[in-house]
Amino acid sequence: MIRQKNSSLWEFRESPAPKVRHKFILLVLVIAGLISIVQLADWWFRAGNIGNIYMFILLSFCFWFGIVRMMLGWMNYLFLKKPPHIDPPEGLSVAIFTTSSPGEPLSMFEKTLAACREIRYPHTTYLLDDTRDPAFREVAEKNGAVWMELVGIPGAKAGKINKALQYTKEDFILVLDPDHIPFPEFLDHTLGYFKDEKVGFVQVSQAYYNQYRSFTAKAAAEQTYGFYGPTQMGLFGLGGSVAIGANCTFRRKALESIGGHGIGLAEDLITSIRIHGAGWKSVYNPVIVSRGLVPEDFGSFCKQQLKWARGVFEMTFSELPRLFFKLSFWQKISYFTIGTYYLVGFSACIFTLIPFLFFLSGILPATMSFADFLIRGSFVAFFGILIYLYMQKWLCHPQRERGLHWRGSIMKYACWPVYFLGFLLSVVNADIPYIPTAKKAVTGNFTPFGRPLIFQCILFLFSFIIIYIKRRFFVPEGELVLSAEKVWGMMGFAFLSFIMAAMGVYAAIESQRLNVKEPWEKVDLNLFRRKKNGQENT
Amino acid sequence: MGRKTHRILIIILAFAAAIAVILILSFIGGKSRGPLEGLLSDAGAVVTNVESKVIIRQRSYKRADDLKWLRAYIRDIALLKHPRVILLGAYDNQTTENFESINDFEDSLHMELPLIHIYTAWGSKPEQQFPEKQVKAIIEMGSIPVITWEPWLSSFDSKEWTQLRKPEVRDKNGMTDVARGKYDRYIQQWAMDAKRMNYPIFLRVGHEMNDPYRYPWGPQNNSAKDFKAAWRHIYNVFKTVGAGNIIWIWSPHPAYGYFDAYYPGKDYVDYVGVGILNYGNVASWSKWWTFDEIFGNHYKELSKYKKPIIITEFGCLNAGGNRSRWFQDALKQLPLRYPSVKSIIFFHYSADHTTTQQTLNWYIKDDSCTMNSINRQIRLWPDSVKP
């Protein structure tokens, strides 16, 4: 039974193409949502609502920044587009680049390289290796891949790719993350789009096969489902789908026109914005033609997120201003929106601190009644959720990916210290060392990323006890009644972020007890062969 | 049909559908106090109630314990309408966060005050609705609330109150509109909220209605007849709602006369209220007047209605005379000299700029000389008017 369930992961999946009637329903929801937002804004921005003016500005900024992002997301959905399938012409010369670094498990490369060999469209697989471990060469050669030793090249993965570009001649290069196991039909769903001479790269969906392993893995996967479904499809509709994550097929000329693959913590995104800046088009095909790994333990997840947050801000600060006028209108907006995604760390920080600031000093950012806010906000929330659920029609694998994605949202807020750190590092332009995302769960010790969350939980419990004691013994009766709603309302607010932090701590504790496994061991490539044979028989 | 027209048609249709969806939703939850809002304000009340159960009832000292004698009055509103004792009270302007300032004042009086006075205005803003929190707080403290309820008609939001005239012209004959029921939605809600307290509340509506200079509900905008009609209408709305816990204070300005013209009738009034404030020499129009000059000269006129008299504002500035002496003279044998006076509320306002250009300080708690004479005189009163 379980086997069967897992086997369904290894089938080709795709989002449906949107129809006019879908767009119509979506338009209705978006307009209704926008009207609700206007009503909310009309009520929010009133002089009478201002408590402490500085805090009100800060709170308004965080809150409305989130709302504006949501609106931009809705606008993006309206341009949802799926490229029609184009069969690739015969005879293209194609390379697959995958990189190996010291410490990465050999067995994973056995699986990935074996799967690369199964890819039907004729191609050459290259293993760009700096492990200095002869076993990697053996594995590459056993699987018909070209082994290329590239030791001591700065720029990590991107540096090796650029060097390899010099040694190879293929017109199209698929850059494959080594933890991603490609399906045999992979290239059949990307190469066709290069018929259009202006297309610089073709990105496909990024999907996973280990998300069931832990809370962290589920949460991490949930955070990406929407992006690799409707979000990227909308970006494609607007002419700005981005290369992000793994599995991007590039045109060599496009890479060469920008002087090679971008280097940095968000190297894919940097490459993407540069290629767009150089005037190339991009295609996003919402198909699942490979599956890879998502971080299973909390520490690795946070490391990955820190790396991305820092990298994405880097793109925003250094690439976006430089290329700004070379991008199309919607590309500017898309890159800006993506580039400021991790400001969520800043907002969540403010939201987390507001109740504690109130407990300490009695400062309230706003004087509006909480009930009023809930009533007016509920319309926006209602349409927000409705649109979110409606858009799940365009997930790449709805049967497995549908849902409220609450784990993803909780982790997004629980990890605010990580994103906040990423933001601060970017502001002062400080480096974080390149940390490769762990392929296997890192277990045992409690991750240092969990410490701020434990601190937050203790702070909450401590505040709760102090406030209870204060009110039980010291606050006069008259004040109790006058302040009950305010104080316990704020406590409720703090409790929400406490729950998030506590779930984060749970994820971190669960990570300590994870079975270290090599998830790729269980992947059976014969599934692909059988399927292929079956198809041939019919 | 061209693709462009097709597209425009779809967009127009989508707009129409979206507006329809919004209208339906607004209809479900949009009344002036929708079901959701009611639910949420109930949730707020639950928090307060739970806390009062979990925390206040557990405490060893409660202010209410010192006011045990008042419980008989609280239980029996008829008793409150004709009290044996003189009910003392205070208003303090620094009570937005807590009632500590009242407690401080009480400390210098060495007693707990049975009445606490607050002011609130008519209008559509949240803070212009029934002051539930303050009333609950006063109840929790064991006192009885006195509310001065000021009909500032212009502060109703025109967007929500479309049937009203423009705010600039709304005060002219405003009392006629009140009497005709144009504000009933507001009055009813207020009355229902007050009723829900299930606790006596002194209510002083449209005070100093005979003063032609001060408030918009005065004679410059309304005839005495219209004021009376408005009063009776408000009274009837409360009666219809079943708010029997209200004690009605009719409160003219002592200096401007025409009391009979403004008196709504014995069935509509429980107390006659009067503000007695000595401004000393702070303004051109004021001079140092004694209590007997301000109040005594009008006592006969005011007591002829055979209602207990409540001095709703009792205060003296420290400018142009001897304040300690003023209070001493005012309170000396007061129950014998003015037997109708059944309640006195100290006006304790630290920064009053409602009447003159300057900020006036009515605080007396730190003036030990004044406090001494007040304490002495009150304690010399006959036991029959003391709890």
Side-chain angles (χ1 to χ4, degrees), chain A residues 217-229:
Chain A
K218 277 180 201 151
E222 280 176 1
Q223 287 182 359
T224 68
Y225 291 152
F227 184 77
Y228 290 108

Side-chain angles (χ1 to χ4, degrees), chain B residues 79-338:
Chain B
L79 216 56
L80 256 188
K81 288 180 182 173
H82 303 281
R84 176 183 63 80
V85 303
I86 290 180
L87 299 165
L88 294 176
Y91 158 76
D92 196 294
N93 62 310
Q94 299 181 351
T95 53
T96 41
E97 296 287 323
N98 57 49
F99 284 96
E100 279 311 271
S101 54
I102 299 267
N103 283 337
D104 287 350
F105 180 52
E106 286 174 337
D107 286 346
S108 53
L109 272 176
H110 310 294
M111 69 166 85
E112 267 66 42
L113 296 168
L115 302 186
I116 294 175
H117 187 183
I118 57 176
Y119 293 79
T120 181
W122 290 31
S124 50
K125 292 196 197 104
E127 66 270 23
Q128 289 161 337
Q129 310 311 302
F130 178 74
E132 185 168 331
K133 278 187 206 161
Q134 277 111 312
V135 168
K136 276 189 174 165
I138 293 167
I139 294 173
E140 210 60 75
M141 292 165 76
S143 290
I144 298 173
V146 179
I147 304 176
T148 292
W149 195 28
E150 309 180 349
W152 293 92
L153 303 180
S154 54
S155 52
F156 285 90
D157 187 352
S158 299
K159 268 191 253 167
E160 277 177 63
W161 291 77
T162 43
Q163 75 279 29
L164 299 180
R165 286 176 283 153
K166 271 188 272 168
E168 307 87 79
V169 295
R170 209 180 276 158
D171 287 328
K172 195 80 207 153
N173 296 319
M175 289 299 114
T176 319
D177 289 343
V178 173
R180 283 186 188 150
K182 290 207 173 166
Y183 294 88
D184 276 9
R185 182 152 62 93
Y186 171 74
I187 302 168
Q188 270 166 5
Q189 185 63 53
W190 210 96
M192 284 193 295
D193 292 341
K195 181 192 170 191
R196 248 184 330 138
M197 295 297 107
N198 197 20
Y199 195 92
I201 294 170
F202 285 86
L203 187 58
R204 179 175 175 237
V205 195
H207 64 292
E208 301 181 357
M209 73 306 278
N210 56 338
D211 177 344
Y213 305 109
R214 188 92 188 258
Y215 299 114
W217 52 89
Q220 70 279 35
N221 289 323
N222 303 280
S223 72
K225 205 171 127 242
D226 290 338
F227 175 82
K228 280 195 289 191
W231 179 286
R232 290 182 193 138
H233 180 77
I234 296 167
Y235 183 94
N236 286 329
V237 170
F238 273 71
K239 203 172 171 188
T240 318
V241 164
N245 55 330
I246 303 295
I247 297 155
W248 296 85
I249 303 173
W250 170 76
S251 184
H253 192 293
Y256 291 102
Y258 302 105
F259 300 151
D260 282 346
Y262 284 95
Y263 188 61
K266 66 174 171 39
D267 297 336
Y268 297 92
V269 173
D270 297 309
Y271 273 75
V272 171
V274 60
I276 305 299
L277 296 170
N278 174 30
Y279 284 84
N281 59 4
V282 292
S284 55
W285 46 262
S286 74
K287 71 184 204 43
W288 189 270
W289 279 302
T290 64
F291 179 77
D292 291 333
E293 281 169 331
I294 306 172
F295 178 64
N297 293 343
H298 306 284
Y299 174 70
K300 229 174 126 185
E301 270 182 282
L302 292 168
S303 57
K304 76 169 187 212
Y305 298 108
K306 306 231 167 358
K307 299 284 181 186
I309 291 176
I310 176 169
I311 295 175
T312 48
E313 285 109 352
F314 181 53
C316 174
L317 289 174
N318 200 11
N322 185 334
R323 181 161 70 175
S324 165
R325 187 63 187 266
W326 190 92
F327 277 102
Q328 183 179 316
D329 293 345
L331 295 171
K332 192 172 193 175
Q333 297 299 322
L334 182 133
L336 303 177
R337 294 189 294 134
Y338 303 114

Side-chain angles (χ1 to χ4, degrees), chain A residues 340-375:
Chain A
T340 50
Y341 173 83
Y342 289 105
L343 271 182
V344 65
F346 180 74
S347 307
C349 172
I350 297 297
F351 289 138
T352 306
L353 290 181
I354 279 173
F356 295 110
L357 185 73
F358 170 74
F359 296 146
L360 268 180
S361 64
I363 289 176
L364 272 177
T367 56
M368 46 196 134
S369 92
F370 191 58
D372 254 11
F373 172 68
L374 282 187
I375 288 162

Side-chain angles (χ1 to χ4, degrees), chain A residues 246-394:
Chain A
N247 310 339
C248 194
T249 314
F250 294 95
R251 186 191 293 275
R252 174 183 287 267
K253 276 187 202 148
L255 281 179
E256 283 172 353
S257 74
I258 59 161
H261 200 285
I263 293 173
L265 288 168
E267 48 202 14
D268 310 292
L269 203 54
I270 287 171
T271 312
S272 177
I273 191 172
R274 286 182 185 165
I275 291 180
H276 278 138
W280 296 92
K281 289 202 280 187
S282 64
V283 171
Y284 179 72
N285 197 12
V287 294
I288 295 180
V289 285
S290 81
R291 281 188 186 267
L293 297 174
V294 72
E296 290 178 11
D297 69 283
F298 188 73
S300 307
F301 174 71
C302 289
K303 255 189 224 168
Q304 182 208 53
Q305 296 291 304
L306 179 61
K307 192 178 112 183
W308 285 357
R310 179 70 183 90
V312 167
F313 278 123
E314 195 50 45
M315 185 278 289
T316 318
F317 285 126
S318 62
E319 298 293 320
L320 190 56
R322 195 169 62 81
L323 297 167
F324 197 73
F325 293 104
K326 294 186 176 163
L327 297 172
S328 77
F329 173 75
W330 284 110
Q331 282 170 347
K332 286 178 185 122
I333 291 188
S334 314
Y335 279 108
F336 181 77
T337 313
I338 293 170
T340 50
Y341 173 83
Y342 289 105
L343 271 182
V344 65
F346 180 74
S347 307
C349 172
I350 297 297
F351 289 138
T352 306
L353 290 181
I354 279 173
F356 295 110
L357 185 73
F358 170 74
F359 296 146
L360 268 180
S361 64
I363 289 176
L364 272 177
T367 56
M368 46 196 134
S369 92
F370 191 58
D372 254 11
F373 172 68
L374 282 187
I375 288 162
R376 285 159 212 269
S378 64
F379 280 68
V380 177
F382 175 76
F383 288 110
I385 292 172
L386 214 60
I387 292 171
Y388 190 75
L389 292 178
Y390 187 68
M391 294 321 289
Q392 296 192 347
K393 202 188 273 288
W394 289 281

